[in-house]
């Protein structure tokens, strides 16, 4: 058979074959189209496989495909089944890209009952993972290699975001572990890259830890005339030294005035476990002062929109306007309290750590300390409020 013979073959009222060699033939349809087929026998069964249309697939290419198919049969492989498997493989890879598995992983974590993560954490994880999407997002998750991931992380690191790259390596590793657990990947290259990234320098939150300077700051806060929610949240931050995101989203329903306890739900805490905070007399007074202002909101410190809590940067922004930019932040009140409480030698270090809701690196101690130091923490919170009130009165003009 020649190219000209195939080209000259005319359609008939029904499909017909123009034989070549060893089972190969173009089939000519009534509409004039011509398509390559190969008839072969596999394990006693007659089968047919198509190689595509002529002239897109030339005579030479069709014969090469025929020879490949016959070689597979000789090796005990059905070429038609192999083609189906490859299509399924390609479809599987297309449906299980890194981006799709990452979205599934985040959604699962957000709906895992006791292991729920906050909306803020979920959104942050989504943002982090979006940073590597240009490089690996469309790749089948099981095809991601260490060099591919490192290239994506290096782009982020080279832009100056070293800490972001470090966190992202860990997060990508958790996504890949999930892919392995669900049968969509075979290995996780992320842990091997731990030493390949530049270790970021530790950045501490600015904080006032000198007693006299703290007294001056507290007086400045008392004298600040700003949005009521911001002023009260600033004052309460000094007394309770909890995480800024927890204080600004405090709800009336979480405060037990009779028991003098603020219960932070697990979904709002960094460690994803409920945290109870003893309230000093001063702290209760500050919270009660918002009753008339925020009675219309579920939040103790609402923003201008009563359905939303105070904004993330409200307290730090107020401190900047007071002249404390680079000196003190909302998070800095935690450093202040930790430093001065430890220096006081009045309280057990573990009680201070528990008050700060820090995670104990020792799992056994962590379980034990959840139920310990409550009475000491009650005494500590009142001592701390009295202490900062006394510092505020010192050298007051």
């Amino acid at each position: 058979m020649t190219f000209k013979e195939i080209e000259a073959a005319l359609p008939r009222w029904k499909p017909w074959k123009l034989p070549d060699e060893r089972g190969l033939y173009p089939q000519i349809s009534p509409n004039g189209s011509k398509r390559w087929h190969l008839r072969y026998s596999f394990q006693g069964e007659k089968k047919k496989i198509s190689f595509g249309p002529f002239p897109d697939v030339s005579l030479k290419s069709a014969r090469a495909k025929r020879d490949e198919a016959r070689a597979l049969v000789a090796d005990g492989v059905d070429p038609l089944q192999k083609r189906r498997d490859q299509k399924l493989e390609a479809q599987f890879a297309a449906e299980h890209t890194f981006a799709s598995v990452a979205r599934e992983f985040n959604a699962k974590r957000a709906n895992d009952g006791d292991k729920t993560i906050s909306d803020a954490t979920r959104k942050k994880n989504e943002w982090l993972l979006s940073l590597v999407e240009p490089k690996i997002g469309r790749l089948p998750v099981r095809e991601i290699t260490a060099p591919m991931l490192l290239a994506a992380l290096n782009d982020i690191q080279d832009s100056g975001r070293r800490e972001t790259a470090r966190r992202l390596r860990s997060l990508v590793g958790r996504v890949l572990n999930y892919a392995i657990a669900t049968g969509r990947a075979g290995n996780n290259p992320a842990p091997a890259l731990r030493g390949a990234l530049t270790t970021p320098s530790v950045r501490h939150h600015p904080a006032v830890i000198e007693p006299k300077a703290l007294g001056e700051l507290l007086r400045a806060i008392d004298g600040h005339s700003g949005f009521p929610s911001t002023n009260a949240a600033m004052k309460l931050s000094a007394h309770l030294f909890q995480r800024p995101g927890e204080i600004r989203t405090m709800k009336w329903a979480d405060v037990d005035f009779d028991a003098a306890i603020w219960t932070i739900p697990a979904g709002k805490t960094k460690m994803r476990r409920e945290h109870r905070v003893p309230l000093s007399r001063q702290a209760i007074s500050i919270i009660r002062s918002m009753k008339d202002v925020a009675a219309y909101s579920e939040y103790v410190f609402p923003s201008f929109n009563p359905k939303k809590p105070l904004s993330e940067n409200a307290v730090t922004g107020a401190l900047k306007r007071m002249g404390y930019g680079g000196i003190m932040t909302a998070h800095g009140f935690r450093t202040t309290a930790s430093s001065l409480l430890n220096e006081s030698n009045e309280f057990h270090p573990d009680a201070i750590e528990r008050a700060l809701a820090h995670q104990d690196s020792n799992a056994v101690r962590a379980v034990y300390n959840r139920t310990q130091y409550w009475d000491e923490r009650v005494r500590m919170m009142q001592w701390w409020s009295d202490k900062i009130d006394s510092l505020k009165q010192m050298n007051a003009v």
Side-chain angles (χ1 to χ4, degrees):
M1 181 190 299
T2 65
F3 175 87
K4 287 185 178 181
E5 287 176 329
I6 302 171
E7 193 174 42
L10 298 176
R12 300 175 184 174
W13 65 278
K14 66 177 183 178
W16 66 283
K17 306 169 187 175
L18 186 62
D20 186 44
E21 300 172 342
R22 290 178 286 178
L24 179 67
Y25 62 90
Q27 180 168 291
I28 295 90
S29 299
N31 63 7
S33 66
K34 299 164 185 176
R35 190 171 189 86
W36 290 105
H37 295 282
L38 171 69
R39 281 205 173 275
Y40 67 98
S41 178
F42 184 78
Q43 295 181 348
E45 182 181 354
K46 298 294 184 180
K47 293 195 170 189
K48 180 176 72 172
I49 186 170
S50 173
F51 294 148
F54 173 88
D56 295 349
V57 178
S58 68
L59 175 59
K60 182 178 180 180
S61 295
R63 285 173 173 169
K65 291 177 181 291
R66 174 201 61 196
D67 293 343
E68 290 173 5
R70 288 174 62 85
L72 287 173
V73 171
D75 288 339
V77 177
D78 182 356
L80 188 58
Q81 187 59 50
K82 182 177 181 180
R83 175 182 290 180
R84 289 170 180 163
D85 291 344
Q86 288 174 335
K87 285 184 177 180
L88 288 174
E89 180 84 8
Q91 181 181 353
F92 183 91
E95 291 175 353
H96 300 289
T97 63
F98 176 81
S100 66
V101 173
R103 284 192 294 270
E104 183 183 318
F105 170 75
N106 274 334
K108 182 180 184 300
R109 290 191 69 203
N111 293 289
D112 255 357
D114 292 339
K115 297 180 182 178
T116 52
I117 60 173
S118 66
D119 284 343
T121 301
R122 177 179 56 79
K123 290 177 181 177
K124 184 175 182 180
N125 286 348
E126 289 174 353
W127 172 78
L128 280 170
L129 290 168
S130 73
L131 298 179
V132 294
E133 279 203 23
K135 288 278 189 180
I136 65 173
R138 296 183 181 180
L139 294 176
V141 68
R142 60 179 162 197
E143 292 182 10
I144 293 174
T145 63
M148 291 175 182
L149 179 55
L150 182 59
L153 295 174
N154 276 338
D155 282 352
I156 298 164
Q157 180 175 261
D158 292 346
S159 70
R161 294 175 289 182
R162 294 181 178 179
E163 177 62 19
T164 298
R166 185 185 69 83
R167 290 179 181 273
L168 189 49
R169 182 204 61 79
S170 176
L171 180 57
V172 168
R174 294 199 293 275
V175 172
L176 294 177
N177 278 338
Y178 173 71
I180 293 172
T182 53
R184 288 172 287 183
N187 72 301
N188 180 1
L193 300 181
R194 185 177 287 108
L197 297 174
T198 303
T199 302
S201 56
V202 177
R203 295 173 58 191
H204 297 286
H205 294 280
V208 174
I209 58 175
E210 198 278 317
K212 181 178 179 181
L214 178 57
E216 294 171 354
L217 169 61
L218 295 169
R219 290 195 294 274
I221 291 174
D222 278 355
H224 183 254
S225 57
F227 186 54
S229 289
T230 305
N231 290 346
M234 237 186 331
K235 293 176 183 178
L236 193 64
S237 296
H239 285 274
L240 298 188
F241 51 86
Q242 299 306 302
R243 293 182 174 89
E246 296 163 356
I247 287 182
R248 70 183 182 84
T249 58
M250 176 188 286
K251 293 184 177 180
W252 294 110
D254 298 331
V255 179
D256 186 335
F257 289 103
D258 293 332
I261 296 172
W262 168 32
T263 301
I264 308 174
K268 288 185 179 179
T269 66
K270 182 177 181 181
M271 299 306 171
R272 309 268 65 84
R273 69 185 186 204
E274 182 181 275
H275 179 57
R276 299 200 307 161
V277 182
L279 299 174
S280 64
R281 294 186 300 274
Q282 293 91 327
I284 290 176
S285 177
I286 293 169
I287 296 170
R288 285 189 185 278
S289 73
M290 291 300 295
K291 269 291 187 183
D292 293 336
V293 180
Y296 52 83
S297 175
E298 66 175 323
Y299 295 104
V300 176
F301 307 113
S303 65
F304 288 102
N305 180 347
K307 294 183 179 180
K308 294 183 178 182
L310 202 60
S311 68
E312 183 178 356
N313 297 315
V315 170
T316 296
L319 289 166
K320 286 182 179 179
R321 290 191 293 276
M322 291 163 53
Y324 282 87
I327 300 174
M328 188 64 170
T329 63
H331 201 284
F333 287 110
R334 291 170 59 75
T335 303
T336 298
S338 177
S339 298
L340 296 183
L341 284 170
N342 277 292
E343 285 181 7
S344 73
N345 291 319
E346 292 280 341
F347 308 100
H348 195 290
D350 284 348
I352 298 172
E353 290 299 291
R354 186 73 189 106
L356 289 160
H358 282 161
Q359 175 70 55
D360 197 316
S361 59
N362 184 302
V364 175
R365 278 168 45 88
V367 173
Y368 177 77
N369 287 344
R370 284 191 192 186
T371 58
Q372 297 302 304
Y373 306 117
W374 177 256
D375 291 341
E376 184 171 2
R377 286 175 55 206
V378 171
R379 182 172 67 86
M380 179 198 309
M381 298 306 284
Q382 188 58 58
W383 183 92
W384 176 248
S385 284
D386 292 341
K387 176 68 175 179
I388 61 177
D389 274 358
S390 69
L391 291 176
K392 186 165 59 176
Q393 299 303 319
M394 287 176 58
N395 302 317
V397 179

